[in-house]
Amino acid sequence: MQIQDLPYPDPGVPDARSGPRFLRWLFRNQLPGQLKSLAWGLLHFASVASIPFCVGIGVQAAVDRSGGRLALAGGLMALACVGNAVGDTFLHRAAVTNWITAAARVQQLLARRTATLGSALTRRVAAGEVVAVSTGDVEKIGWFVEALSRFTAAVVTIVLVCVGLLVYQPALGVVVVVGLPLLALAVLPLLPHATRRADVQREKAGRATELASDTVAGLRVLRGIGGEELFLDRYRRASQEVRHAAVRSARMWSLIAAIQVLLPGILLITVVCYGVHLARQGRIAVGELVTVYSSVMLLAYPLRHFEEIAMAYSFSRPSAKRAARVLSLERAVDAAGAPGPKGPARPERPSGDLYDPATGLLAPAGRLTAVVCGDPDAAGHLAERLGGHAAHAPNTARNGSVLLGGVPLDELPLDTARGSVLVQDKDPVLLSGTLRALLDVPASGAVGTREALDAAQCGDVLAALVQGSLDAADPMDAQLTERGRSLSGGQRQRLSLARSLVTDPEVLVLDEPTSAVDSHTEARIAESLRELRAGRTTVVFTSSPLLLDRADQVVFLHDETVVAVGGHRELVRTEPRYRAVVTRETEAEAETGDRTGADDLSDLDKLVEIEETA
């Protein structure tokens, strides 16, 4: 795989049981590139290691006044230099390719896992951790995968040089063979301390990233309540903790680097002193001493790869652990052992009633069903469950999958399930770009962009986008900032609703789609939603009387179980717990009589009458 061939047609199924297993899986999948890097690395290191032998032959030829051997030494030296240049060039090329392709494979795997989990991902993993994995961690993982082949080439070269020195000059060769393993293993006792400090630094950096992400996302609200300085102080403290942890980690790695410089120097001094002693006794020639000295001096280069591989593993291990944690997440029903896809994929999307056996919720086909839950978190979990990617595995395993037209959603291919049921959660994301690009989504074609914008009451949003844009006369060409932060919460909600309406799925599930919209606009949205989605199944999680009054049926859940089904006005009169949720009064107050319900209906009638006249 070359860089120009990215992305991978199929990045594969990762072994995400642990960080080390994930790294091994990556290495196996990069095997052709690793072998290529190993081959060029062997050429490079072998050429570097052969230079001392060429120098030794040339020095001895000069001492012996042998022109033929001197010419041979020059030719061998030129050949070694060419091999060094070619090997180094293509080693760097292969190493960078392995690094980038490994990082790209991890990014593809993370992107697919994110698409599979959807909004359930951030319920299980902090947003800051996801950002850290998809940005900095993939580079560290790629670094280790790439460095492994170079390290292997360095080890093979050192072994060959040691064997060659033993054969070439046994007396000095023994000193080198004994000293080199000590050099390589001397830093091992320090590596656990360095790894722990690196882990602490990564952990604190992840917390700081998460805090920064949350602060930026909520900056508009923080300014409104005057709390930006409080959060900035928290981020300052977190960043200082990261700095202190980074300094502590750098001190340990600088100590390891110092040892890697000191010990080879001691070995070199030992070889020189002992070699001079042997030369004085006439046991070795001057050329042999120069050869051994030069070999020991140049072996410091491949020895540095021991330090690099230790650093690469130290930094990549926690990164691989975090990546494996994200990649090991599954759709809750799959993790609970529910049956997966069987046989060939269904060519057609199912249609019909939407039924959840866990709660007893039934949304008839082609009708607008409003769902009221006393617990907002339960509403969010149920909305995810209706989309086929729920967060509660125990309920799924015990009660079975959500059924669409009698077909379990969890037995459908994921793209089919997503195409049949679209879930818009209470905090939808608006990507940066033009409004035209935002609404350019897979759609049935039955609902036009203008129809969806009108139904979502986005007229003032379009005007605001044109006013805020310097060069866009058409609001569809106006630029949206990241997450739509330049818009108000209600404006973001309405644009998100328009995007969902353009898609026109068989089943549309909306979680509090008008919670940030004023009552006048909400009433118009409720009526437009009912008209535009006529003949399509729509489920709205809400406690707004304006939406509830226009629903074909209202389903009330208590303790995640359906306890009442009917019209809004009927449930207000007959179900005290429902009335308590809708009117924001306590259950005790609701149970004292029907007066509150009557007042609520009277107020609702007045509001509806005002809206209709308006």
Side-chain angles (χ1 to χ4, degrees), residues 212-241:
S213 177
D214 293 342
T215 302
V216 172
L219 192 58
R220 185 181 186 128
V221 177
L222 291 175
R223 285 175 175 170
I225 62 176
E228 64 269 26
E229 285 300 326
L230 174 63
F231 275 78
L232 287 175
D233 287 340
R234 291 181 181 177
Y235 180 73
R236 290 190 189 99
R237 290 195 296 270
S239 63
Q240 288 302 311
E241 290 179 2

PDB file of all heavy atoms in Angstrom, residues 212-241:
ATOM      1  N   ALA A 212     -10.876  21.861  27.347  1.00  0.00           N
ATOM      2  CA  ALA A 212     -10.849  22.912  26.337  1.00  0.00           C
ATOM      3  C   ALA A 212     -11.993  22.749  25.344  1.00  0.00           C
ATOM      4  O   ALA A 212     -12.645  23.732  24.960  1.00  0.00           O
ATOM      5  CB  ALA A 212      -9.507  22.888  25.602  1.00  0.00           C
ATOM      6  N   SER A 213     -12.263  21.508  24.933  1.00  0.00           N
ATOM      7  CA  SER A 213     -13.355  21.258  24.000  1.00  0.00           C
ATOM      8  C   SER A 213     -14.700  21.651  24.606  1.00  0.00           C
ATOM      9  O   SER A 213     -15.523  22.305  23.961  1.00  0.00           O
ATOM     10  CB  SER A 213     -13.365  19.772  23.598  1.00  0.00           C
ATOM     11  OG  SER A 213     -14.451  19.490  22.755  1.00  0.00           O
ATOM     12  N   ASP A 214     -14.916  21.274  25.859  1.00  0.00           N
ATOM     13  CA  ASP A 214     -16.173  21.626  26.522  1.00  0.00           C
ATOM     14  C   ASP A 214     -16.302  23.134  26.699  1.00  0.00           C
ATOM     15  O   ASP A 214     -17.392  23.700  26.556  1.00  0.00           O
ATOM     16  CB  ASP A 214     -16.258  20.938  27.883  1.00  0.00           C
ATOM     17  CG  ASP A 214     -16.384  19.425  27.751  1.00  0.00           C
ATOM     18  OD1 ASP A 214     -16.736  18.961  26.651  1.00  0.00           O
ATOM     19  OD2 ASP A 214     -16.119  18.726  28.733  1.00  0.00           O
ATOM     20  N   THR A 215     -15.188  23.811  27.021  1.00  0.00           N
ATOM     21  CA  THR A 215     -15.233  25.257  27.232  1.00  0.00           C
ATOM     22  C   THR A 215     -15.568  25.986  25.944  1.00  0.00           C
ATOM     23  O   THR A 215     -16.400  26.894  25.923  1.00  0.00           O
ATOM     24  CB  THR A 215     -13.878  25.752  27.779  1.00  0.00           C
ATOM     25  OG1 THR A 215     -13.591  25.066  29.003  1.00  0.00           O
ATOM     26  CG2 THR A 215     -13.923  27.245  28.060  1.00  0.00           C
ATOM     27  N   VAL A 216     -14.921  25.570  24.835  1.00  0.00           N
ATOM     28  CA  VAL A 216     -15.192  26.216  23.550  1.00  0.00           C
ATOM     29  C   VAL A 216     -16.630  25.961  23.112  1.00  0.00           C
ATOM     30  O   VAL A 216     -17.324  26.859  22.621  1.00  0.00           O
ATOM     31  CB  VAL A 216     -14.196  25.720  22.483  1.00  0.00           C
ATOM     32  CG1 VAL A 216     -14.583  26.232  21.107  1.00  0.00           C
ATOM     33  CG2 VAL A 216     -12.787  26.168  22.834  1.00  0.00           C
ATOM     34  N   ALA A 217     -17.104  24.712  23.309  1.00  0.00           N
ATOM     35  CA  ALA A 217     -18.463  24.381  22.897  1.00  0.00           C
ATOM     36  C   ALA A 217     -19.499  25.194  23.669  1.00  0.00           C
ATOM     37  O   ALA A 217     -20.536  25.575  23.130  1.00  0.00           O
ATOM     38  CB  ALA A 217     -18.716  22.888  23.087  1.00  0.00           C
ATOM     39  N   GLY A 218     -19.231  25.473  24.948  1.00  0.00           N
ATOM     40  CA  GLY A 218     -20.198  26.202  25.759  1.00  0.00           C
ATOM     41  C   GLY A 218     -19.832  27.646  26.004  1.00  0.00           C
ATOM     42  O   GLY A 218     -20.349  28.264  26.949  1.00  0.00           O
ATOM     43  N   LEU A 219     -18.946  28.210  25.166  1.00  0.00           N
ATOM     44  CA  LEU A 219     -18.457  29.565  25.409  1.00  0.00           C
ATOM     45  C   LEU A 219     -19.586  30.588  25.346  1.00  0.00           C
ATOM     46  O   LEU A 219     -19.612  31.534  26.141  1.00  0.00           O
ATOM     47  CB  LEU A 219     -17.372  29.906  24.387  1.00  0.00           C
ATOM     48  CG  LEU A 219     -16.551  31.171  24.673  1.00  0.00           C
ATOM     49  CD1 LEU A 219     -15.874  31.077  26.030  1.00  0.00           C
ATOM     50  CD2 LEU A 219     -15.512  31.391  23.580  1.00  0.00           C
ATOM     51  N   ARG A 220     -20.505  30.373  24.434  1.00  0.00           N
ATOM     52  CA  ARG A 220     -21.606  31.336  24.309  1.00  0.00           C
ATOM     53  C   ARG A 220     -22.431  31.373  25.594  1.00  0.00           C
ATOM     54  O   ARG A 220     -22.793  32.442  26.088  1.00  0.00           O
ATOM     55  CB  ARG A 220     -22.482  30.941  23.114  1.00  0.00           C
ATOM     56  CG  ARG A 220     -23.585  31.933  22.817  1.00  0.00           C
ATOM     57  CD  ARG A 220     -24.419  31.466  21.637  1.00  0.00           C
ATOM     58  NE  ARG A 220     -25.390  32.476  21.262  1.00  0.00           N
ATOM     59  CZ  ARG A 220     -25.559  32.946  20.054  1.00  0.00           C
ATOM     60  NH1 ARG A 220     -24.781  32.531  19.092  1.00  0.00           N
ATOM     61  NH2 ARG A 220     -26.503  33.829  19.788  1.00  0.00           N
ATOM     62  N   VAL A 221     -22.737  30.198  26.139  1.00  0.00           N
ATOM     63  CA  VAL A 221     -23.513  30.141  27.380  1.00  0.00           C
ATOM     64  C   VAL A 221     -22.709  30.692  28.548  1.00  0.00           C
ATOM     65  O   VAL A 221     -23.233  31.414  29.404  1.00  0.00           O
ATOM     66  CB  VAL A 221     -23.950  28.683  27.657  1.00  0.00           C
ATOM     67  CG1 VAL A 221     -24.697  28.590  28.972  1.00  0.00           C
ATOM     68  CG2 VAL A 221     -24.820  28.175  26.521  1.00  0.00           C
ATOM     69  N   LEU A 222     -21.412  30.353  28.582  1.00  0.00           N
ATOM     70  CA  LEU A 222     -20.564  30.815  29.680  1.00  0.00           C
ATOM     71  C   LEU A 222     -20.497  32.334  29.717  1.00  0.00           C
ATOM     72  O   LEU A 222     -20.529  32.948  30.791  1.00  0.00           O
ATOM     73  CB  LEU A 222     -19.154  30.232  29.537  1.00  0.00           C
ATOM     74  CG  LEU A 222     -19.024  28.719  29.752  1.00  0.00           C
ATOM     75  CD1 LEU A 222     -17.608  28.263  29.460  1.00  0.00           C
ATOM     76  CD2 LEU A 222     -19.411  28.349  31.175  1.00  0.00           C
ATOM     77  N   ARG A 223     -20.405  32.960  28.538  1.00  0.00           N
ATOM     78  CA  ARG A 223     -20.382  34.419  28.507  1.00  0.00           C
ATOM     79  C   ARG A 223     -21.701  35.002  28.987  1.00  0.00           C
ATOM     80  O   ARG A 223     -21.744  36.059  29.615  1.00  0.00           O
ATOM     81  CB  ARG A 223     -20.089  34.899  27.086  1.00  0.00           C
ATOM     82  CG  ARG A 223     -18.626  34.722  26.689  1.00  0.00           C
ATOM     83  CD  ARG A 223     -18.397  35.102  25.234  1.00  0.00           C
ATOM     84  NE  ARG A 223     -16.981  35.034  24.892  1.00  0.00           N
ATOM     85  CZ  ARG A 223     -16.519  35.125  23.646  1.00  0.00           C
ATOM     86  NH1 ARG A 223     -17.375  35.269  22.646  1.00  0.00           N
ATOM     87  NH2 ARG A 223     -15.223  35.062  23.414  1.00  0.00           N
ATOM     88  N   GLY A 224     -22.786  34.290  28.679  1.00  0.00           N
ATOM     89  CA  GLY A 224     -24.084  34.792  29.103  1.00  0.00           C
ATOM     90  C   GLY A 224     -24.252  34.811  30.608  1.00  0.00           C
ATOM     91  O   GLY A 224     -24.955  35.677  31.156  1.00  0.00           O
ATOM     92  N   ILE A 225     -23.607  33.870  31.303  1.00  0.00           N
ATOM     93  CA  ILE A 225     -23.734  33.820  32.766  1.00  0.00           C
ATOM     94  C   ILE A 225     -22.480  34.339  33.464  1.00  0.00           C
ATOM     95  O   ILE A 225     -22.378  34.272  34.691  1.00  0.00           O
ATOM     96  CB  ILE A 225     -24.026  32.380  33.240  1.00  0.00           C
ATOM     97  CG1 ILE A 225     -22.867  31.436  32.863  1.00  0.00           C
ATOM     98  CG2 ILE A 225     -25.339  31.885  32.654  1.00  0.00           C
ATOM     99  CD1 ILE A 225     -23.042  30.020  33.379  1.00  0.00           C
ATOM    100  N   GLY A 226     -21.510  34.844  32.665  1.00  0.00           N
ATOM    101  CA  GLY A 226     -20.286  35.383  33.248  1.00  0.00           C
ATOM    102  C   GLY A 226     -19.371  34.329  33.831  1.00  0.00           C
ATOM    103  O   GLY A 226     -18.647  34.598  34.804  1.00  0.00           O
ATOM    104  N   GLY A 227     -19.399  33.139  33.276  1.00  0.00           N
ATOM    105  CA  GLY A 227     -18.599  32.059  33.850  1.00  0.00           C
ATOM    106  C   GLY A 227     -17.369  31.694  33.053  1.00  0.00           C
ATOM    107  O   GLY A 227     -16.705  30.707  33.354  1.00  0.00           O
ATOM    108  N   GLU A 228     -17.031  32.508  32.021  1.00  0.00           N
ATOM    109  CA  GLU A 228     -15.895  32.127  31.186  1.00  0.00           C
ATOM    110  C   GLU A 228     -14.577  32.161  31.947  1.00  0.00           C
ATOM    111  O   GLU A 228     -13.691  31.334  31.738  1.00  0.00           O
ATOM    112  CB  GLU A 228     -15.804  33.003  29.925  1.00  0.00           C
ATOM    113  CG  GLU A 228     -15.538  34.475  30.182  1.00  0.00           C
ATOM    114  CD  GLU A 228     -16.803  35.286  30.319  1.00  0.00           C
ATOM    115  OE1 GLU A 228     -17.824  34.695  30.694  1.00  0.00           O
ATOM    116  OE2 GLU A 228     -16.767  36.495  30.040  1.00  0.00           O
ATOM    117  N   GLU A 229     -14.425  33.121  32.865  1.00  0.00           N
ATOM    118  CA  GLU A 229     -13.171  33.218  33.630  1.00  0.00           C
ATOM    119  C   GLU A 229     -12.992  32.009  34.535  1.00  0.00           C
ATOM    120  O   GLU A 229     -11.874  31.532  34.732  1.00  0.00           O
ATOM    121  CB  GLU A 229     -13.153  34.503  34.455  1.00  0.00           C
ATOM    122  CG  GLU A 229     -12.894  35.758  33.648  1.00  0.00           C
ATOM    123  CD  GLU A 229     -11.555  35.704  32.935  1.00  0.00           C
ATOM    124  OE1 GLU A 229     -10.604  35.123  33.486  1.00  0.00           O
ATOM    125  OE2 GLU A 229     -11.457  36.237  31.808  1.00  0.00           O
ATOM    126  N   LEU A 230     -14.092  31.510  35.102  1.00  0.00           N
ATOM    127  CA  LEU A 230     -14.013  30.326  35.957  1.00  0.00           C
ATOM    128  C   LEU A 230     -13.484  29.134  35.171  1.00  0.00           C
ATOM    129  O   LEU A 230     -12.567  28.431  35.629  1.00  0.00           O
ATOM    130  CB  LEU A 230     -15.390  30.013  36.541  1.00  0.00           C
ATOM    131  CG  LEU A 230     -15.498  28.707  37.351  1.00  0.00           C
ATOM    132  CD1 LEU A 230     -14.595  28.773  38.576  1.00  0.00           C
ATOM    133  CD2 LEU A 230     -16.954  28.455  37.750  1.00  0.00           C
ATOM    134  N   PHE A 231     -14.012  28.923  33.971  1.00  0.00           N
ATOM    135  CA  PHE A 231     -13.564  27.789  33.167  1.00  0.00           C
ATOM    136  C   PHE A 231     -12.166  28.018  32.609  1.00  0.00           C
ATOM    137  O   PHE A 231     -11.384  27.079  32.467  1.00  0.00           O
ATOM    138  CB  PHE A 231     -14.562  27.535  32.038  1.00  0.00           C
ATOM    139  CG  PHE A 231     -15.718  26.677  32.446  1.00  0.00           C
ATOM    140  CD1 PHE A 231     -16.765  27.210  33.179  1.00  0.00           C
ATOM    141  CD2 PHE A 231     -15.748  25.336  32.130  1.00  0.00           C
ATOM    142  CE1 PHE A 231     -17.833  26.427  33.562  1.00  0.00           C
ATOM    143  CE2 PHE A 231     -16.808  24.532  32.513  1.00  0.00           C
ATOM    144  CZ  PHE A 231     -17.856  25.073  33.235  1.00  0.00           C
ATOM    145  N   LEU A 232     -11.834  29.260  32.297  1.00  0.00           N
ATOM    146  CA  LEU A 232     -10.476  29.541  31.830  1.00  0.00           C
ATOM    147  C   LEU A 232      -9.456  29.277  32.935  1.00  0.00           C
ATOM    148  O   LEU A 232      -8.357  28.780  32.666  1.00  0.00           O
ATOM    149  CB  LEU A 232     -10.384  30.987  31.342  1.00  0.00           C
ATOM    150  CG  LEU A 232     -11.077  31.286  30.009  1.00  0.00           C
ATOM    151  CD1 LEU A 232     -11.017  32.776  29.697  1.00  0.00           C
ATOM    152  CD2 LEU A 232     -10.452  30.480  28.880  1.00  0.00           C
ATOM    153  N   ASP A 233      -9.804  29.607  34.165  1.00  0.00           N
ATOM    154  CA  ASP A 233      -8.912  29.302  35.293  1.00  0.00           C
ATOM    155  C   ASP A 233      -8.721  27.797  35.430  1.00  0.00           C
ATOM    156  O   ASP A 233      -7.616  27.313  35.704  1.00  0.00           O
ATOM    157  CB  ASP A 233      -9.480  29.882  36.585  1.00  0.00           C
ATOM    158  CG  ASP A 233      -9.334  31.400  36.644  1.00  0.00           C
ATOM    159  OD1 ASP A 233      -8.496  31.937  35.899  1.00  0.00           O
ATOM    160  OD2 ASP A 233     -10.066  32.049  37.423  1.00  0.00           O
ATOM    161  N   ARG A 234      -9.811  27.054  35.251  1.00  0.00           N
ATOM    162  CA  ARG A 234      -9.693  25.600  35.322  1.00  0.00           C
ATOM    163  C   ARG A 234      -8.774  25.076  34.219  1.00  0.00           C
ATOM    164  O   ARG A 234      -7.955  24.186  34.454  1.00  0.00           O
ATOM    165  CB  ARG A 234     -11.072  24.956  35.188  1.00  0.00           C
ATOM    166  CG  ARG A 234     -11.997  25.193  36.377  1.00  0.00           C
ATOM    167  CD  ARG A 234     -13.326  24.497  36.157  1.00  0.00           C
ATOM    168  NE  ARG A 234     -14.235  24.727  37.274  1.00  0.00           N
ATOM    169  CZ  ARG A 234     -15.484  24.291  37.321  1.00  0.00           C
ATOM    170  NH1 ARG A 234     -15.970  23.598  36.297  1.00  0.00           N
ATOM    171  NH2 ARG A 234     -16.254  24.544  38.371  1.00  0.00           N
ATOM    172  N   TYR A 235      -8.904  25.652  33.029  1.00  0.00           N
ATOM    173  CA  TYR A 235      -8.042  25.196  31.935  1.00  0.00           C
ATOM    174  C   TYR A 235      -6.589  25.591  32.191  1.00  0.00           C
ATOM    175  O   TYR A 235      -5.674  24.825  31.867  1.00  0.00           O
ATOM    176  CB  TYR A 235      -8.520  25.777  30.603  1.00  0.00           C
ATOM    177  CG  TYR A 235      -7.648  25.337  29.450  1.00  0.00           C
ATOM    178  CD1 TYR A 235      -7.720  24.033  28.968  1.00  0.00           C
ATOM    179  CD2 TYR A 235      -6.732  26.206  28.871  1.00  0.00           C
ATOM    180  CE1 TYR A 235      -6.914  23.611  27.925  1.00  0.00           C
ATOM    181  CE2 TYR A 235      -5.920  25.794  27.830  1.00  0.00           C
ATOM    182  CZ  TYR A 235      -6.016  24.498  27.365  1.00  0.00           C
ATOM    183  OH  TYR A 235      -5.200  24.065  26.345  1.00  0.00           O
ATOM    184  N   ARG A 236      -6.372  26.783  32.763  1.00  0.00           N
ATOM    185  CA  ARG A 236      -4.993  27.183  33.081  1.00  0.00           C
ATOM    186  C   ARG A 236      -4.363  26.179  34.051  1.00  0.00           C
ATOM    187  O   ARG A 236      -3.207  25.780  33.884  1.00  0.00           O
ATOM    188  CB  ARG A 236      -4.981  28.582  33.687  1.00  0.00           C
ATOM    189  CG  ARG A 236      -5.322  29.704  32.703  1.00  0.00           C
ATOM    190  CD  ARG A 236      -5.057  31.061  33.319  1.00  0.00           C
ATOM    191  NE  ARG A 236      -5.572  32.141  32.475  1.00  0.00           N
ATOM    192  CZ  ARG A 236      -6.719  32.755  32.668  1.00  0.00           C
ATOM    193  NH1 ARG A 236      -7.473  32.424  33.711  1.00  0.00           N
ATOM    194  NH2 ARG A 236      -7.116  33.722  31.867  1.00  0.00           N
ATOM    195  N   ARG A 237      -5.120  25.815  35.083  1.00  0.00           N
ATOM    196  CA  ARG A 237      -4.583  24.844  36.047  1.00  0.00           C
ATOM    197  C   ARG A 237      -4.317  23.497  35.378  1.00  0.00           C
ATOM    198  O   ARG A 237      -3.290  22.853  35.629  1.00  0.00           O
ATOM    199  CB  ARG A 237      -5.561  24.672  37.220  1.00  0.00           C
ATOM    200  CG  ARG A 237      -5.648  25.894  38.125  1.00  0.00           C
ATOM    201  CD  ARG A 237      -6.334  25.540  39.426  1.00  0.00           C
ATOM    202  NE  ARG A 237      -7.728  25.137  39.214  1.00  0.00           N
ATOM    203  CZ  ARG A 237      -8.753  25.985  39.228  1.00  0.00           C
ATOM    204  NH1 ARG A 237      -8.539  27.280  39.424  1.00  0.00           N
ATOM    205  NH2 ARG A 237      -9.984  25.554  39.058  1.00  0.00           N
ATOM    206  N   ALA A 238      -5.239  23.073  34.513  1.00  0.00           N
ATOM    207  CA  ALA A 238      -5.045  21.797  33.822  1.00  0.00           C
ATOM    208  C   ALA A 238      -3.828  21.853  32.905  1.00  0.00           C
ATOM    209  O   ALA A 238      -3.051  20.892  32.834  1.00  0.00           O
ATOM    210  CB  ALA A 238      -6.299  21.447  33.023  1.00  0.00           C
ATOM    211  N   SER A 239      -3.638  22.970  32.204  1.00  0.00           N
ATOM    212  CA  SER A 239      -2.483  23.086  31.302  1.00  0.00           C
ATOM    213  C   SER A 239      -1.173  23.125  32.079  1.00  0.00           C
ATOM    214  O   SER A 239      -0.154  22.588  31.618  1.00  0.00           O
ATOM    215  CB  SER A 239      -2.622  24.339  30.430  1.00  0.00           C
ATOM    216  OG  SER A 239      -2.611  25.513  31.219  1.00  0.00           O
ATOM    217  N   GLN A 240      -1.188  23.741  33.257  1.00  0.00           N
ATOM    218  CA  GLN A 240       0.018  23.746  34.085  1.00  0.00           C
ATOM    219  C   GLN A 240       0.348  22.341  34.579  1.00  0.00           C
ATOM    220  O   GLN A 240       1.518  21.952  34.664  1.00  0.00           O
ATOM    221  CB  GLN A 240      -0.164  24.700  35.273  1.00  0.00           C
ATOM    222  CG  GLN A 240      -0.148  26.174  34.899  1.00  0.00           C
ATOM    223  CD  GLN A 240       1.140  26.572  34.208  1.00  0.00           C
ATOM    224  OE1 GLN A 240       2.230  26.259  34.673  1.00  0.00           O
ATOM    225  NE2 GLN A 240       1.005  27.258  33.066  1.00  0.00           N
ATOM    226  N   GLU A 241      -0.676  21.562  34.895  1.00  0.00           N
ATOM    227  CA  GLU A 241      -0.441  20.176  35.294  1.00  0.00           C
ATOM    228  C   GLU A 241       0.167  19.382  34.137  1.00  0.00           C
ATOM    229  O   GLU A 241       1.059  18.547  34.347  1.00  0.00           O
ATOM    230  CB  GLU A 241      -1.757  19.536  35.745  1.00  0.00           C
ATOM    231  CG  GLU A 241      -2.293  20.080  37.069  1.00  0.00           C
ATOM    232  CD  GLU A 241      -3.602  19.421  37.451  1.00  0.00           C
ATOM    233  OE1 GLU A 241      -4.051  18.539  36.702  1.00  0.00           O
ATOM    234  OE2 GLU A 241      -4.169  19.792  38.496  1.00  0.00           O
TER     235      GLU A 241
END
